[in-house]
Amino acid sequence: MSVKVYVEGGGDHNKALDTACRRGFREFFESAGLLGRLPRIVASGGRGQAFKDFSGALTNAPEDQIPLLVVDAEGPVGQPGPWAHLRLRDGWEQPRGTTDQHIHLMVQAMEAWFHADKGSLQEYYGQGFRIGALRARQDIENIPKTDLFEGLAAATRDCQKGEYSKGQHSFKILARINPVRVREASAHAERLLATLDRLCTAE
């Protein structure tokens, strides 16, 4: 059984950004213990395209392949679960035959994961990084999306690498952060990595 993960990230018709996205997720998954049994990662670009790619894979994928969808939640996620959240927020109907196993949310955005490992952020940006500008709360899934980005912008404004850029910096940071700290701080990240650990087997 193989796993194919459709992620929100990369850029439409931007091969360099697609490559950076796949590399970032691959290295993050490898650090999480999936080295030698990685899923195939598809950088779909925007969240709507990711859902479209995932939905198409449900129809066309081989019987021995499981497609998963990973997108930003774009807001707080409550009960009864991720599909209900996406239906209310985006108008996406849960595809027939899928369960919560197939959908995984980065809450409230991927940048929340960075707040779980501020030390890696500081190492990446180096001199001029203001760690105190980041939100201090430990429950990273409850940091509003606007606060995530405002904090990163303020923390990196005086850095040589420049102010945080989702395209230029995000996937390089993703490759560096510690999955253990992310799992401890984010229940949804824990669920994603536990699902991949269960489904991905060595070839």
Side-chain angles (χ1 to χ4, degrees), residues 4-26 39-47 49-51 53-54 68-71 171:
K4 198 169 185 178
V5 182
Y6 295 85
V7 300
E8 175 185 357
D12 296 333
H13 311 298
N14 187 328
K15 291 183 178 180
L17 196 54
D18 288 348
T19 298
C21 177
R22 291 193 300 271
R23 181 184 297 119
F25 275 97
R26 183 185 72 240
R40 182 178 172 188
I41 299 162
V42 179
S44 289
R47 58 190 289 104
Q49 186 61 48
F51 181 66
D53 291 347
F54 166 75
L68 303 181
L69 177 63
V70 177
V71 295
F171 302 120

Side-chain angles (χ1 to χ4, degrees), residues 119-140:
S120 289
L121 270 176
Q122 190 165 33
E123 289 175 3
Y124 173 76
Y125 281 102
Q127 188 173 359
F129 183 77
R130 297 195 300 122
I131 197 168
L134 300 175
R135 302 304 182 265
R137 61 190 305 168
Q138 300 300 308
D139 53 339
I140 61 172

